[in-house]
């Protein structure tokens, strides 16, 4: 799962990023209004943490841009401004949540999880598809009630495929999802092939049907 942290306080941004990385999120950063606009114009995120007071512009204008583009990224406003007017305006524009600084990182992580669960998985903690069962909160996978041990990248890939079921996903989209804005630096997609090969092997060995289809020259699709 990929998070964009839009925050000009570098120490706070890095603290948030370190905590969320330990929670298996891939974090990217923007410290100015211009950087944030560039990133949301190019990339999609599972959740965006948005500070309202940024060098070069108003964070609410970024929120307006996200909604004008009809992007589905979840948004949590994180701000030192504990203004009722700002909260109401942010939520009316389309923010999913509002958290006033200072806040506890576990609470922030819980709110991020809640937004992603609601947007991508219909507000459930357990995702089931026939013999396959995924516990989103515990980050566990079972097939026919047998535990399947996945790496962080493999688990993230599985969720990404299921949340985009029956859609063709390109190799470049997978690279960006797994590696963020450094994906363009790779010469090839070999690292994607390795993760997908290992994921399919573990699921198949556990008795899972082959839902993940390879569309040669195009990408992949999770079919149900």
């Amino acid at each position: 799962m990929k998070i964009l942290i839009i925050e000009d306080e570098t120490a706070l941004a890095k603290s948030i990023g370190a905590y969320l990385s330990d929670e298996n999120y891939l974090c990217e950063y923007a410290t100015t209004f211009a950087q944030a606009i560039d990133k949301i114009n190019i990339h999609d995120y599972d959740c965006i943490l948005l500070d309202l007071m940024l060098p070069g512009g108003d964070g609410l204008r970024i929120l307006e841009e996200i909604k004008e583009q009809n992007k589905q990224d979840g948004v949590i406003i994180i701000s030192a401004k504990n203004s009722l007017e700002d909260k109401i305006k942010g939520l009316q524009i389309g923010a999913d949540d509002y958290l006033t600084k200072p806040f506890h990182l576990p609470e922030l992580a819980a709110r991020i999880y809640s937004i992603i669960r609601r947007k991508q998985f219909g507000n459930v903690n357990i995702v089931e598809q026939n013999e396959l069962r995924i516990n989103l909160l515990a980050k566990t996978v079972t097939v026919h009630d047998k535990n399947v041990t996945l790496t962080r990248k493999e688990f993230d890939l599985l969720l990404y495929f299921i949340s985009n079921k029956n859609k063709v996903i390109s190799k470049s989209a997978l690279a960006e999802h797994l590696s963020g804005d450094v994906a363009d630096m790779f010469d090839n997609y070999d690292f994607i092939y390795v993760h997908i090969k290992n994921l399919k092997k573990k699921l198949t060995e556990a008795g899972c049907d082959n839902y993940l289809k390879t569309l040669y020259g195009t990408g992949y699709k999770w079919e149900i």
Side-chain angles (χ1 to χ4, degrees):
M1 298 294 177
K2 191 166 59 169
I3 308 294
L4 175 60
I5 303 170
I6 304 175
E7 169 61 66
D8 65 323
E9 295 181 43
T10 303
L12 175 59
K14 294 298 183 183
S15 176
I16 293 171
Y19 186 89
L20 294 180
S21 294
D22 288 341
E23 296 290 309
N24 293 338
Y25 293 106
L26 174 66
C27 296
E28 296 179 13
Y29 304 89
T31 59
T32 66
F33 179 89
Q35 288 178 355
I37 290 293
D38 285 344
K39 283 185 176 291
I40 66 172
N41 282 338
I42 298 172
H43 305 292
D44 293 319
Y45 298 92
D46 295 291
C47 191
I48 296 173
L49 307 182
L50 175 61
D51 186 16
L52 294 183
M53 303 174 66
L54 295 168
D58 184 354
L60 288 176
R61 181 66 193 96
I62 295 174
L63 181 58
E64 290 172 348
E65 180 67 22
I66 292 170
K67 299 310 169 183
E68 285 172 8
Q69 293 187 30
N70 198 31
K71 296 171 72 73
Q72 300 304 306
D73 314 40
V75 179
I76 299 177
I77 294 174
I78 54 171
S79 178
K81 298 172 66 177
N82 191 18
S83 163
L84 179 59
E85 181 180 348
D86 286 328
K87 288 183 179 180
I88 292 174
K89 187 173 182 180
L91 294 170
Q92 285 177 335
I93 293 173
D96 298 282
D97 205 347
Y98 193 114
L99 195 57
T100 303
K101 301 176 186 176
F103 48 78
H104 296 290
L105 293 174
E107 180 183 1
L108 174 63
R111 296 195 186 204
I112 291 171
Y113 169 79
S114 178
I115 287 172
I116 293 175
R117 179 187 62 181
R118 183 174 71 249
K119 283 183 171 289
Q120 298 186 2
F121 301 104
N123 211 31
V124 299
N125 287 321
I126 304 295
V127 177
E128 292 184 286
Q129 182 179 325
N130 300 326
E131 72 281 4
L132 178 65
R133 179 183 173 95
I134 304 169
N135 187 314
L136 300 175
L137 194 57
K139 296 183 174 62
T140 57
V141 177
T142 61
V143 174
H144 295 300
D145 297 323
K146 175 184 176 182
N147 288 326
V148 180
T149 302
L150 301 180
T151 66
R152 169 181 167 177
K153 294 291 189 184
E154 291 162 2
F155 184 81
D156 198 14
L157 267 178
L158 179 59
L159 291 186
Y160 188 57
F161 283 126
I162 290 179
S163 64
N164 290 280
K165 56 184 179 293
N166 295 322
K167 297 179 182 177
V168 177
I169 303 175
S170 68
K171 293 184 284 292
S172 60
L174 287 170
E176 182 184 320
H177 181 76
L178 290 180
S179 303
D181 53 6
V182 301
D184 293 339
M185 300 173 61
F186 295 110
D187 294 329
N188 57 57
Y189 297 114
D190 288 351
F191 74 103
I192 294 177
Y193 303 142
V194 171
H195 289 309
I196 290 178
K197 179 182 177 181
N198 290 339
L199 173 62
K200 293 182 71 171
K201 182 173 185 290
K202 290 178 180 180
L203 292 176
T204 300
E205 289 179 348
C208 187
D209 285 347
N210 182 28
Y211 301 111
L212 182 54
K213 309 297 183 182
T214 302
L215 307 177
Y216 293 99
T218 304
Y220 300 88
K221 181 165 67 171
W222 186 275
E223 292 185 347
I224 61 171

